[in-house]
Amino acid sequence: MGHRLHPALVHFPVACWSLAVVADFAGFWFGEPAWRWSSGLLAVGCGTAIVAMLAGILELAYVPEGPAMRIAYWHMGAMLCACALFCTRLLLRLEDLRALEPNTVSLLLDAGGFLCLTVGGWLGGKLVYHHGVWRSDSH
């Protein structure tokens, strides 16, 4: 096919997690109709993140040693941190599989997760656009 699977899969958790953060903070203005969306988005984001991470681990062999591999390790660390924060956020605010209104802790988890997601995404972009690791011939 010529292209890696991981860069295509990451759009799903990134979009879901980002929209979940927006939904939680929009709850300040729009109430429950806004924040009610976040749990579903977080669940889909966490599920698709597992698939994207597995693809990334399998494709790690295609990252050249040196600066690109160092960036890949930092990218993985930031994304693992984001995943841990968003999964924690999801699990802390569910009761009998019902979403609970965001509190201060959940909003801090949202903010921390989004920060890690942003840093990890930027590092992933460096791997793709600067080091070209998305192509089959990049190894």
Side-chain angles (χ1 to χ4, degrees):
M1 286 195 308
H3 295 282
R4 303 280 166 237
L5 185 57
H6 174 74
L9 293 174
V10 298
H11 298 337
F12 297 100
V14 168
C16 288
W17 286 339
S18 298
L19 288 171
V21 171
V22 169
D24 278 345
F25 281 95
F28 284 126
W29 295 278
F30 303 109
E32 185 177 346
W35 63 256
R36 179 67 64 187
W37 283 93
S38 69
S39 292
L41 288 164
L42 286 168
V44 172
C46 292
T48 57
I50 301 296
V51 176
M53 286 183 203
L54 289 172
I57 289 169
L58 292 173
E59 295 170 4
L60 190 61
Y62 297 101
V63 178
E65 289 296 326
M69 185 59 80
R70 282 190 295 281
I71 292 170
Y73 287 136
W74 280 103
H75 167 70
M76 288 190 316
M79 295 315 248
L80 281 170
C81 183
C83 188
L85 290 169
F86 285 123
C87 287
T88 301
R89 158 64 184 94
L90 174 64
L91 295 175
L92 285 180
R93 300 307 299 162
L94 282 180
E95 184 177 280
D96 297 327
L97 296 178
R98 284 190 352 247
L100 299 173
E101 183 175 2
N103 61 11
T104 303
V105 172
S106 60
L107 294 174
L108 288 172
L109 289 168
D110 278 343
F114 190 75
L115 178 64
C116 291
L117 183 65
T118 301
V119 170
W122 179 75
L123 292 168
K126 280 189 66 113
L127 286 169
V128 170
Y129 297 111
H130 183 71
H131 295 283
V133 296
W134 79 94
R135 296 186 323 264
S136 293
D137 60 347
S138 66
H139 185 72

